[in-house]
Amino acid sequence: MRCAAFRYNVPMTADQHWLARARALAELGRYTCSPNPMVGAVIVRDGRIMGEGFHARAGEPHAEIHALRAAGPRARGACLYVTLEPCCTHGRTPPCTDAIIAAGIARVVVGTIDPNPAHAGRGLALLRQAGIETLCLNDRTCAELNERFNHFITTRRPFVHAKWAMSADGKIAPATGSARWISCPESRTYVHKLRAEYDAVMVGIGTVLADNPQLNVRLEGTWRQPTKIIIDSHLRTPANAALLQGAPTVIACARAADPSHADALRAAGARIIALPGPDDRVDLPALLELLGSEGITSVFVEGGAALFGSLFAAQLVQRATIIIAPMLLGGQSALSPIGGPGVPTVEAAWRLTDVTITSCGVDTILSGRVAYPRSPRPSSSAVNAASTAWPSDNDASDGPSAPGNRHRIPPCSA
């Protein structure tokens, strides 16, 4: 069954046309380039492509270098289109700005400025100093392409993406607790592709005990396997849990009550991290700080309700994707997706912005950025003190925010 996403068609200028080609190339690195951003580049002269490329893996040449090598001497006097401002510092590879200047490129058009504080605006400034014309289109789709990188490079915390499947009446499982399978096969394949994009996948201990998930990417071909993270405050993960097989597994606990069980988990390959927080629970902000310091730039969270409740309450989730199945489960005691106390009023709700709606098999997939209300300003008025201020469309953030139903997540291709 064909899966489709809604999107707008807007007439393009020549610059936008070639930048769209660069964006398509950048997408080729979606599953391989982390922790680096996805970048595509196209070199054009007289309306013809002289060379193009994309960044595939950290440590390998950047998109601009691939494009320059493909163009060779034809790059002189041409225009370079690149989705992200070229780097100007020496990391795993030399700065791209040096190569662009040496190749004789006459004009550089970028989709967005690099949010990395070490690069932001400096790359274009160096190119202008060398006599190269530069233009930034401030393209939203280029920014959306790297929402995970943009968040991590500016906060040093991993980008957190919460995903759940639920019935049309908002239940993640019937009252009996059996949740397999709410989503259709096409949606489950799509989730595996999403899982493959992330550095780590996270679940709570309730999900481990109820479902015994594997949390790996099970698709044809060779795929990068994310690190598995279990939030298990009291270290109840069975030593024979399915997810202990394969990729590295991290168990975050508040305390290890049984040293012998902890030893058994380590013997099974798990790494145990004790991060005690309030109420004898795992300190989730501290965990994200630790993961970021170890190079984990993104985390895909797959449940359950208690973990979602804690993450949303701490305002740690940046994106939510909800798979809605065309079924009704009912039941007053059936679980809802987000546990915990929730919000006190509708005005204080966590809202989704930049929402996309995608069909996948018989399911509907809704995805959006999570916007949290600001803390109210001090006021002597109880009414004013209870009011909630929301960010305006012009407020700066670590990612794009605009109304409309625009395509961000890759469409379901099952």
Side-chain angles (χ1 to χ4, degrees):
M1 183 176 293
R2 190 176 76 88
C3 304
F6 301 107
R7 65 189 305 177
Y8 293 115
N9 293 318
V10 179
M12 291 184 178
T13 66
D15 285 342
Q16 290 169 332
H17 169 79
W18 294 117
L19 188 63
R21 172 59 186 168
R23 281 199 310 270
L25 289 165
E27 281 282 356
L28 298 176
R30 177 170 289 276
Y31 300 103
T32 58
C33 70
S34 181
N36 287 356
M38 291 179 273
V39 183
V42 182
I43 296 174
V44 177
R45 188 171 67 186
D46 299 326
R48 297 179 59 190
I49 295 177
M50 300 292 105
E52 58 185 19
F54 70 98
H55 180 52
R57 289 176 182 83
E60 295 186 4
H62 290 185
E64 301 95 318
I65 304 304
H66 283 301
L68 289 170
R69 289 175 179 173
R74 297 177 299 170
R76 186 164 297 279
C79 181
L80 168 66
Y81 293 90
V82 60
T83 54
L84 185 68
E85 177 184 18
C87 68
C88 58
T89 57
H90 200 300
R92 292 187 180 96
T93 58
C96 290
T97 49
D98 289 356
I100 293 168
I101 294 168
I105 290 288
R107 183 171 183 256
V108 174
V109 178
V110 302
T112 185
I113 297 296
D114 190 341
N116 186 342
H119 299 158
R122 291 181 57 200
L124 291 187
L126 287 172
L127 296 177
R128 286 193 295 270
Q129 290 173 14
I132 298 173
E133 179 187 348
T134 66
L135 174 65
C136 177
L137 295 183
N138 292 315
D139 184 81
R140 284 187 179 274
T141 51
C142 286
E144 291 170 341
L145 191 67
N146 287 309
E147 65 175 359
R148 298 190 296 273
F149 171 81
N150 295 344
H151 175 82
F152 175 76
I153 205 66
T154 54
T155 68
R156 310 312 298 183
R157 277 185 178 181
F159 181 92
V160 177
H161 184 166
K163 181 277 306 176
W164 63 85
M166 69 181 189
S167 62
D169 58 339
K171 307 296 184 180
I172 61 173
T176 59
S178 173
R180 294 189 177 183
W181 294 97
I182 287 179
S183 57
C184 68
E186 294 90 342
S187 291
R188 297 199 294 273
T189 297
Y190 178 60
V191 167
H192 278 278
K193 292 180 179 179
L194 277 180
R195 193 181 284 173
E197 294 184 32
Y198 283 76
D199 293 342
V201 59
M202 177 186 290
V203 294
I205 183 58
T207 298
V208 174
L209 297 177
D211 300 337
N212 193 24
Q214 297 180 59
L215 296 185
N216 56 359
V217 178
R218 299 187 298 279
L219 298 169
E220 290 186 10
T222 302
W223 296 80
R224 183 182 66 140
Q225 295 293 339
T227 297
K228 306 167 188 179
I229 302 171
I230 308 170
I231 307 303
D232 182 4
S233 295
H234 302 141
L235 212 58
R236 294 183 291 151
T237 301
N240 62 351
L243 51 67
L244 294 176
Q245 305 300 316
T249 301
V250 175
I251 302 177
C253 64
R255 56 184 171 86
D258 184 349
S260 63
H261 184 54
D263 291 341
L265 289 170
R266 291 189 185 97
R271 174 190 174 193
I272 298 174
I273 301 173
L275 290 170
D279 302 321
D280 204 23
R281 295 176 180 272
V282 173
D283 187 331
L284 294 174
L287 174 62
L288 292 178
E289 295 280 356
L290 176 63
L291 294 175
S293 70
E294 296 184 353
I296 299 290
T297 68
S298 58
V299 176
F300 191 55
V301 186
E302 300 198 50
L307 177 57
F308 284 144
S310 297
L311 288 168
F312 277 101
Q315 300 189 2
L316 297 175
V317 179
Q318 282 70 55
R319 173 170 291 277
T321 292
I322 302 103
I323 301 171
I324 306 168
M327 65 174 69
L328 302 172
L329 295 179
Q332 193 169 12
S333 61
L335 278 178
S336 296
I338 302 175
V343 297
T345 65
V346 171
E347 289 76 17
W350 310 306
R351 299 180 183 271
L352 299 184
T353 66
D354 290 332
V355 172
T356 64
I357 301 174
T358 308
S359 333
C360 197
V362 298
D363 296 339
T364 299
I365 301 177
L366 184 148
S367 186
R369 295 277 301 194
V370 181
Y372 298 99
R374 291 181 180 147
S375 299
R377 296 176 181 176
S379 170
S380 58
S381 166
V383 173
N384 289 338
S387 66
T388 302
W390 285 89
S392 71
D393 290 341
N394 296 324
D395 283 345
S397 68
D398 58 54
S401 178
N405 186 14
R406 295 179 291 104
H407 176 72
R408 206 297 304 174
I409 57 174
C412 168
S413 57

